[in-house]
Amino acid sequence: MRWFTRMNARLHTRTQVSPSIVQTKAQQVLGLFVVSLLVSSVYVTQAWAQFDKTAWPAKVDTPKIEAIDLQGKAWNTAELSGKVVVLNFWATWCAPCKDELPTLQTLHDISDTQTVVLTINVREPAARAARYMQSTGMTFPVISDAKGELAKRWHVTVYPTTILIAPDGQARWRIVGDVDWSGAQANAWLADVRQNASLTHTVLKPVTPKR
């Protein structure tokens, strides 16, 4: 019995962990947790950075908008004059499009009358687009482009693609890829388009020389 007691005591002593070792291990685990959070944060931030924003080519005319949306409302360039138009091309078979659409809905909900979210559903039946809108509860205007004719006219080959149109009716920017349209970055883009259009239309009065 004495021999068993001594052996048990030795085993107990050997299996005890130093408090400093426990503290070190805890710090290492905490460090890994913090790094994991930072990486996750960076990933989420970059998830909305997968886009390519380029100026609309100066030598390419801006196509006119003449279409009727799924609700029967007619849209035309003349009616949209004086407004910033966010013209988005999407499809239900496009996963990045479906990730982006809720942010377009938010932009549609919070925008004033000087900003219009107008979307074009490409290469699928109008009924499918209507069902998708109904199932998701989204209400922004959708124009059906079942044959892809509008996409071709606007030189759109990758989805989603968004064209920012200035109040003067001229396309200013083409954004290829999904964007958080409810975020500060997109808001700055829209403000820039609106401001630059205002500057473009500023008429300088001639100065009459003093006699």
Side-chain angles (χ1 to χ4, degrees):
M1 289 296 293
R2 291 180 180 178
W3 175 83
F4 176 78
T5 302
R6 287 197 300 269
M7 289 298 295
N8 187 45
R10 289 177 183 177
L11 289 173
H12 180 71
T13 302
R14 289 178 181 178
T15 55
Q16 285 183 336
V17 180
S18 169
S20 61
I21 295 178
V22 173
Q23 183 178 7
T24 301
K25 291 292 184 182
Q27 290 174 345
Q28 290 175 348
V29 172
L30 179 60
L32 290 173
F33 178 71
V34 172
V35 170
S36 177
L37 285 178
L38 290 174
V39 171
S40 299
S41 177
V42 171
Y43 176 80
V44 170
T45 301
Q46 292 182 342
W48 289 108
Q50 306 304 313
F51 60 82
D52 181 29
K53 179 174 178 279
T54 57
W56 182 265
K59 296 182 180 180
V60 177
D61 293 335
T62 301
K64 290 185 178 181
I65 298 174
E66 299 286 345
I68 299 176
D69 67 20
L70 297 179
Q71 301 299 322
K73 176 178 172 54
W75 296 90
N76 58 69
T77 299
E79 180 184 355
L80 294 170
S81 177
K83 302 175 182 179
V84 174
V85 180
V86 181
L87 187 66
N88 178 268
F89 292 79
W90 65 280
T92 63
W93 41 260
C94 165
C97 297
K98 293 193 288 187
D99 290 338
E100 179 184 56
L101 290 177
T103 71
L104 283 168
Q105 179 64 47
T106 300
L107 179 62
H108 171 72
D109 291 339
I110 66 177
S111 293
D112 56 24
T113 57
Q114 300 306 307
T115 302
V116 176
V117 175
L118 184 59
T119 74
I120 299 179
N121 177 259
V122 185
R123 294 190 179 281
E124 53 189 337
R128 183 182 302 168
R131 286 195 300 269
Y132 182 79
M133 294 295 291
Q134 184 176 13
S135 66
T136 57
M138 290 186 285
T139 58
F140 50 74
V142 179
I143 295 170
S144 176
D145 184 26
K147 296 182 179 180
E149 295 174 350
L150 293 177
K152 184 177 181 180
R153 189 182 307 170
W154 285 85
H155 309 283
V156 173
T157 58
V158 180
Y159 305 94
T161 289
T162 305
I163 311 296
L164 298 185
I165 304 173
D168 60 2
Q170 298 299 311
R172 288 290 189 267
W173 296 98
R174 185 204 317 267
I175 299 94
V176 178
D178 52 320
V179 173
D180 179 5
W181 290 102
S182 62
Q185 184 180 50
N187 184 64
W189 293 348
L190 299 178
D192 178 68
V193 170
R194 185 177 294 106
Q195 181 178 3
N196 286 338
S198 299
L199 293 175
T200 301
H201 283 81
T202 299
V203 178
L204 298 178
K205 296 182 179 180
V207 178
T208 304
K210 295 181 179 180
R211 295 180 180 179

